[in-house]
Amino acid sequence: MRFFINPVWATVALLSLAVSTTAYAQATTGANTQKPMYLKTVMTQLNRDMQSVAGAISKEDWAEVAALAPKIASHQQPPMSEKMRILPWLGSNADKFRGFDEQVHRAATEMGEAAKRGDGQATINAFAKTQQSCLACHQNFRKPFVTHFYGK
Ligand code: HEC
């Protein structure tokens, strides 16, 4: 009977329980899949559009800024299936996450309106506000997001 209370076996049993619990948690929340999330594609496009705006501002091409701003304000969103993975992970931080996206929306909209008026100074101020909103979300969520969904 000593076999069953052998501490080594008890440890192995506990370890395998821990491993299967982790595997279960990963399967249910979709953690650590390594596969790029669609959000990354959205971000790559946001990055391109912000770079194009910076270029247009340098040329003082306000019409081009006005045309680009709505692409940033109303950027694409991940499909519902991906949101269903992100939302449970965000938990009680979901409002905060959405809040940063809302800030981008408002600042980019403001930038478009300023550009339509041909108001260079206001356009540049709103551009800075937009970029600050990108940064604020990244500082809060980017690293934990990457760690959770890619395991790195
Ligand atoms: C609501 C939160 C949030 C906002 C707002 C946000 N981002 Fe991101 N961003 C993320 C997260 C989360 C990641 C990590 C995504 C991933 O690696 O799959 C990311 C990643 C990125 C990346 C890296 C993509 C890569 O290939 O690794 C770029 C570039 C980027 N964002 C640009 C922007 C720009 C530009 C804005 C503002 C116009 C912005 N983001 C606004 C959350 C946000």
Side-chain angles (χ1 to χ4, degrees):
M1 284 313 273
R2 279 193 58 87
F3 179 79
F4 289 101
I5 51 164
N6 182 317
V8 175
W9 280 105
T11 309
V12 169
L14 274 177
L15 274 178
S16 59
L17 180 67
V19 167
S20 57
T21 314
T22 310
Y24 176 74
Q26 286 177 354
T28 49
T29 63
N32 206 353
T33 57
Q34 309 286 341
K35 219 176 125 209
M37 302 284 278
Y38 190 78
L39 188 71
K40 208 197 232 325
T41 309
V42 175
M43 291 295 151
T44 303
Q45 189 58 49
L46 274 176
N47 189 35
R48 270 195 220 118
D49 291 338
M50 285 295 279
Q51 283 172 349
S52 302
V53 167
I57 287 175
S58 298
K59 290 184 287 168
E60 287 144 57
D61 185 344
W62 310 123
E64 194 184 335
V65 176
L68 287 162
K71 292 181 66 183
I72 295 163
S74 307
H75 60 78
Q76 269 197 303
Q77 294 195 21
M80 189 51 71
S81 57
E82 187 172 300
K83 283 188 183 167
M84 299 294 279
R85 291 172 62 198
I86 296 173
L87 281 174
W89 170 73
L90 283 169
S92 59
N93 284 320
D95 283 348
K96 195 174 172 190
F97 189 83
R98 284 201 200 95
F100 288 130
D101 196 40
E102 183 57 31
Q103 276 182 28
V104 167
H105 176 79
R106 263 186 266 126
T109 303
E110 199 182 309
M111 178 170 77
E113 280 160 7
K116 261 190 224 158
R117 297 193 306 271
D119 185 340
Q121 191 58 60
T123 303
I124 290 165
N125 290 344
F127 176 79
K129 234 196 260 176
T130 308
Q131 193 76 71
Q132 279 154 5
S133 308
C134 312
L135 179 68
C137 191
H138 292 162
Q139 283 179 333
N140 280 274
F141 292 106
R142 186 155 152 183
K143 209 187 262 168
F145 184 99
V146 168
T147 303
H148 179 78
F149 289 105
Y150 307 113
K152 58 185 179 192

